[in-house]
Structures are given as structure tokens and as C-alpha cells.
Amino acid sequence: MMPIAPLMIEHRLIERMIDVMKDELLLIEKEKKVDPEFIEMAVDFIRTYADRCHHGKEEDILFRDLGGKKLKDEHRRTIEELVEEHRWGRKMTGRLVEANTRYVQGNEGALSAIMDCIKTLIEFYPKHIEKEDKRFFIPCMDYFTDAEKEAMLKEEWEFDKSLIHERYRNIVIASEKILTARKLNPLI
Ligand SMILES: [Fe+2]
Ligand SMILES: [Fe+2]
């Protein structure tokens, strides 16, 4: 298996979530209301799966190893664009989180901000994925030997294995911080 195979399989799951978000947006537009729990679930998917797990492997393994090769200008430029798009996606997800918080607090402008963020994200991901799948991943494999590809694939499995532990370690750390803050200020 080539190291781009797991990344392409992950793209298919991200596309399924994007389809769900498309349908959810139609519902929000029709009903003029949001299910904040749905937004939290979508944000968790984007942050944990699409960004940490998927973009993480792209940036920390594939792009890192491509960085050690003598790349064509076109491919070097594409890596820069993709990294920038990952950053942009993080920023947009942060805006969705803020809008959802404002919505829960009863802010009037929050509904349209949520709709804008979802619309932007569902337009962004398919284009980003198409760029990687159709114009980048496959030609990039020519830069690597079979042994290098094998090592990358192995590193991807190891990356995935450590993620669940990282995620729940972070949850414990965040919970400890919340508890400490509550103890210091019981009014929170
Ligand atoms: Fe990407
Ligand atoms: Fe990707």
C-alpha cells in the first residue's frame, strides 16, 4: 500500500461529513435555527479527524519528507498552498466555534455567522481534497523509493495509534484546568 492510500481513504470519510453538513445547512436555512450539539459534533470531527489526524499526517509525514527532496516548482508551490489552506480551515473552524457559543448565549447575529461558516467549509473541503487527490498525491509518489514509501506508511500507522492517547490526555489536562479554576473561583 502506498502512503497516500490511507490519506485518500480519509478523504472519503471527510466528504461524507461534508455531505451531512450540506444537508444540515439546508435544515438551518429552512428552520432558521441551529442544533448547537450538531455544530459541536461537526467541529470535533473537523478538529480531531480532518485536522489533527488527517492534516497532521499530511504535514508531519508526507510534506516533511517531500521537503527533503528536490521538488519541481509546481509541487513546492502546491505544498505551500495546501499548508496555507490547512491554516485557513483551522481559522474558519474557530469562527464556527465562536458563532456557536454566541448562538447558545442568544446573540442575534450568530445564526447567519454559523450559516456563513458552514457554507464556507463545505465549499472549501471538496476543492482542497480534489487538489490533493487529482493533482498532487500521485505525482509526488515518484520522488520516493519503495523503502521510503514503506517507512512513511509505517509512520502513518504509528501516528494514528498515538492519537487516541493524545486526545484523551488533553481532555484530562483541560478538565483539571477547569476544576482548578472552579476551586479558585466558585462563581465560574
Ligand atoms: Fe490537506
Ligand atoms: Fe487531505
Side-chain angles (χ1 to χ4, degrees), residues 7 10-11 14 50 54-55 58 86 128-129 132-133 137:
L7 301 175
E10 288 164 10
H11 281 167
I14 295 169
H54 178 75
H55 295 162
E58 288 174 347
H86 291 170
H128 181 80
I129 286 173
E132 291 174 340
D133 275 357
F137 281 176

Side-chain angles (χ1 to χ4, degrees), residues 7-180:
L7 301 175
M8 288 170 121
I9 292 166
E10 288 164 10
H11 281 167
R12 305 291 80 81
L13 194 65
I14 295 169
E15 284 168 345
R16 280 173 63 186
M17 192 58 178
I18 293 300
D19 284 343
V20 174
M21 288 170 73
K22 269 184 203 162
D23 284 350
E24 186 71 19
L25 180 62
L26 293 176
L27 270 182
I28 295 170
E29 282 167 349
K30 195 173 132 207
E31 295 176 354
K32 304 275 176 275
K33 66 180 173 99
V34 165
D35 173 1
E37 281 181 19
F38 173 84
I39 305 294
E40 279 172 28
M41 197 168 59
V43 164
D44 179 62
F45 177 87
I46 295 171
R47 284 186 164 166
T48 308
Y49 188 80
D51 197 39
R52 184 70 192 108
C53 169
H54 178 75
H55 295 162
K57 287 200 289 296
E58 288 174 347
E59 293 186 9
D60 297 355
I61 300 171
L62 178 63
F63 299 174
R64 177 205 64 198
D65 285 2
L66 283 167
K69 301 286 177 186
K70 197 173 168 2
L71 300 181
K72 285 183 184 165
D73 285 350
E74 178 201 348
H75 294 145
R76 193 165 294 284
R77 246 195 331 268
T78 305
I79 292 178
E80 284 166 11
E81 284 170 20
L82 293 171
V83 169
E84 186 48 43
E85 287 170 18
H86 291 170
R87 272 194 215 116
W88 183 90
R90 270 167 221 139
K91 217 190 282 171
M92 194 48 61
T93 311
R95 272 195 218 167
L96 178 57
V97 172
E98 280 167 28
N100 198 38
T101 305
R102 282 189 278 127
Y103 182 84
V104 171
Q105 290 165 347
N107 180 293
E108 274 187 17
L111 181 69
S112 67
I114 288 174
M115 289 194 288
D116 285 345
C117 288
I118 296 178
K119 207 181 280 175
T120 313
L121 286 166
I122 61 182
E123 281 169 8
F124 160 72
Y125 270 103
K127 284 188 204 150
H128 181 80
I129 286 173
E130 196 196 5
K131 191 189 276 190
E132 291 174 340
D133 275 357
K134 305 230 165 100
R135 285 179 278 144
F136 185 68
F137 281 176
I138 292 168
C140 280
M141 288 297 94
D142 291 342
Y143 291 109
F144 299 107
T145 63
D146 285 349
E148 285 171 331
K149 282 188 265 195
E150 190 60 38
M152 283 163 80
L153 187 63
K154 226 169 145 197
E155 199 179 344
E156 286 177 357
W157 299 136
E158 290 304 317
F159 185 99
D160 282 351
K161 251 200 271 174
S162 67
L163 272 192
I164 186 101
H165 301 283
E166 174 190 290
R167 168 142 175 77
Y168 286 98
R169 197 180 315 112
N170 287 341
I171 285 178
V172 171
I173 291 168
S175 308
E176 286 167 349
K177 277 186 188 156
I178 291 168
L179 188 66
T180 308

